[in-house]
């Protein structure tokens, strides 16, 4: 399958999952929009979060993305303490309690990871701008929700799982967050196509990959969006993401 056809298949899968979720919500009693839509009062000059922030305003956008993910986290797992979030300014570094495969513990402007040793999500300004500027606000918030997903995975001490299993499950958890935005009417078709655009560029191939292939990442995000957080247990043997601590 060529890249154009492959992208079309990905977009169809993701769009279908989110439209199904949004359709289920429309059949229910209408409720006032929450999440991203309610944030417009904070920035009244912008009709939507997309195309609203510039490259020097990523701390403000990051704070809004974190607020929305925290809202969802407290809704589905109020028993789990929220992680700390550290937005790393351009041209600066901060030391985390985790090291990468090279023994480096520094987080810089390109950071986008969760450290289970200090319960902190590190987000670099440049990384946020890459996600937001290249793919849109919903795609950038998916990244934040994915990292919160890692925090949730380790809330009970950490599962016995491969990196690939953990990453696919975190994709599913991120999808469950976006599914909630679709359910309450916040997520729009433009946002869904933004998500379909980021998945092909963030997938990995090969036997030694630590993140999912395009098919795996698409399936994981779509499953979380369509069936919610509990469905994400399938990616890690013995996992129970909805069990209280």
């Amino acid at each position: 399958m060529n890249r154009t056809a492959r992208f079309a298949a990905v977009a169809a899968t993701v769009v279908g999952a989110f439209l199904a979720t949004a359709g289920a919500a429309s059949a229910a009693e209408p409720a006032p929009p929450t999440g991203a839509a309610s944030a417009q009062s904070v920035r009244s000059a912008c009709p939507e979060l997309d195309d609203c922030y510039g490259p020097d305003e990523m701390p403000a956008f990051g704070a809004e993305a974190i607020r929305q993910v925290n809202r969802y986290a407290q809704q589905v797992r109020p028993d789990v303490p929220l992680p700390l979030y550290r937005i790393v300014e351009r041209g600066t570094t901060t030391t985390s309690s985790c090291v990468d495969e090279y023994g480096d513990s520094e987080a810089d402007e390109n950071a986008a990871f969760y450290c289970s040793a200090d319960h902190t999500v590190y987000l670099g300004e440049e990384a946020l701008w890459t996600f937001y500027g290249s793919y849109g606000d919903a795609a950038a918030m998916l990244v934040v929700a994915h990292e919160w997903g890692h925090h949730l995975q380790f809330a009970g001490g950490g599962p016995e799982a491969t990196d690939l299993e953990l990453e696919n499950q975190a994709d599913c958890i991120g999808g469950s967050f976006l599914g909630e935005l679709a359910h309450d009417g916040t997520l729009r078709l433009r946002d869904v196509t933004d998500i379909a655009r980021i998945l092909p560029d963030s997938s990995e191939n090969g036997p030694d990959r630590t993140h999912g292939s395009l098919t795996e990442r698409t399936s994981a995000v779509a499953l979380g969006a369509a069936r919610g957080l509990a469905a994400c247990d399938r990616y890690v043997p013995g996992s129970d993401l909805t069990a209280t601590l």
Side-chain angles (χ1 to χ4, degrees), residues 87-164:
I87 297 178
V88 186
E89 297 179 358
R90 289 184 179 87
T92 69
T93 62
T94 188
T95 302
S96 77
S97 299
C98 295
V99 297
D100 60 20
E101 65 265 38
Y102 305 107
D104 187 3
S105 62
E106 295 298 307
D108 62 15
E109 62 192 34
N110 295 302
F113 67 89
Y114 171 70
C115 176
S116 60
D118 56 22
H119 314 292
T120 301
V121 175
Y122 292 88
L123 300 166
E125 278 192 58
E126 190 59 34
L128 281 172
W129 175 245
T130 297
F131 300 133
Y132 178 86
S134 299
Y135 302 103
D137 62 324
M141 286 195 289
L142 173 60
V143 173
V144 179
H146 172 106
E147 299 306 334
W148 169 75
H150 287 312
H151 175 71
L152 180 59
Q153 288 169 334
F154 285 90
E160 293 292 332
T162 66
D163 288 343
L164 182 58

Side-chain angles (χ1 to χ4, degrees), residues 201-225:
D201 290 344
S202 59
S203 59
E204 296 180 4
N205 296 295
D208 297 326
R209 68 187 188 278
T210 58
H211 290 69
S213 65
L214 178 61
T215 299
E216 289 168 336
R217 300 202 79 163
T218 300
S219 297
V221 172
L223 177 67

Side-chain angles (χ1 to χ4, degrees), residues 140-213:
M141 286 195 289
L142 173 60
V143 173
V144 179
H146 172 106
E147 299 306 334
W148 169 75
H150 287 312
H151 175 71
L152 180 59
Q153 288 169 334
F154 285 90
E160 293 292 332
T162 66
D163 288 343
L164 182 58
E165 289 170 337
L166 291 172
E167 292 299 339
N168 284 337
Q169 186 179 62
D171 281 339
C172 183
I173 295 169
S176 73
F177 161 71
L178 292 180
E180 175 61 24
L181 295 188
H183 182 81
D184 67 22
T186 296
L187 200 70
R188 303 180 181 182
L189 182 59
R190 175 179 176 179
D191 296 318
V192 175
T193 55
D194 286 346
I195 296 161
R197 288 173 55 234
I198 196 174
L199 293 176
D201 290 344
S202 59
S203 59
E204 296 180 4
N205 296 295
D208 297 326
R209 68 187 188 278
T210 58
H211 290 69
S213 65

